[in-house]
Amino acid sequence: MSNAAINAVFADSISKGVARLVLLSIADRADERGKAFCGVGDICRRTNASRGQVFAAINSLKQLGELTSESFAGPNRCNVYRLGDRLKIGPSEIQTVRKSDSEGLDSRLKGSGNQTQTPINPKEPQRGARTSFDPRSLTLPFSSESFRTAWDDWIQHRIELRKPVTATAAAKQLKQFEQMGEAASIASIETSVRNGWRGIFPDKAGQSAMKAAPERRDIVSHKTPPRVVT
């Protein structure tokens, strides 16, 4: 937690309402450079806001220049957030650290004359590195906010299980949802998340109800007709 980041939000941010609350939540997780690792679910719990409200707030903060983000770029593929440059975090030496970190230079060698400056944590290419894929960027078969929220919940659920949805799996799941229909798809997602499943299955409660209906009709059709007394 960085008190300097929180103070910068109070002093310099022009955000309001849910957006300001989301920014404070991220700042509370940030280090002295203004960088924070947290998921959307964590922000929802801390701000008591819906996922749709949090996504809208993050987009608003990006437009204000008060926040940047990278999806799945942190430990365990969590999101990485950085407070924007318009937020002045703490004293000038902290600003120097943020600048040197972005340039890959050691801030401790700043202004040290002719000393050789060495890069901080030089990044080397990793073998088999996977390209970043965000299932939230795909075109969904249904445009309602309810389905968008359910899909976001499913993606976050798989991230928390450390089994992120792959591009191939996401494409097949969305095709399956299109065949199932919107209501059945949302119910199936909620059932899988509630039970901690890694896959999507047709809603069992809905199937049970559909099976029970014909049985009841059979019972009614076999009722003995009333006897007529003559």
Side-chain angles (χ1 to χ4, degrees), residues 3-13 20 23 83 86-90:
N3 289 331
I6 296 175
N7 291 336
V9 174
F10 283 122
D12 303 318
S13 174
R20 192 176 186 86
L23 187 60
L83 300 186
R86 73 181 312 276
L87 302 179
K88 300 176 179 61
I89 303 179

Side-chain angles (χ1 to χ4, degrees), residues 89-167:
I89 303 179
S92 58
E93 61 268 18
I94 294 180
Q95 293 294 324
T96 302
V97 171
R98 295 184 66 201
K99 182 178 180 180
S100 64
D101 181 59
S102 65
E103 295 174 351
L105 300 176
D106 190 347
S107 63
R108 292 172 297 179
L109 299 179
K110 278 281 186 180
S112 58
N114 296 324
Q115 284 186 322
T116 303
Q117 296 181 341
T118 57
I120 296 178
N121 298 328
K123 294 184 178 180
E124 298 180 355
Q126 299 179 353
R127 293 183 179 179
R130 293 180 295 181
T131 57
S132 176
F133 167 69
D134 187 358
R136 299 183 181 92
S137 64
L138 297 176
T139 301
L140 302 182
F142 311 109
S143 59
S144 69
E145 181 65 24
S146 299
F147 184 79
R148 164 65 67 179
T149 300
W151 178 247
D152 291 339
D153 288 342
W154 172 243
I155 300 305
Q156 183 63 30
H157 169 67
R158 288 292 298 268
I159 292 173
E160 293 170 357
L161 290 178
R162 298 187 180 182
K163 294 290 183 180
V165 176
T166 63

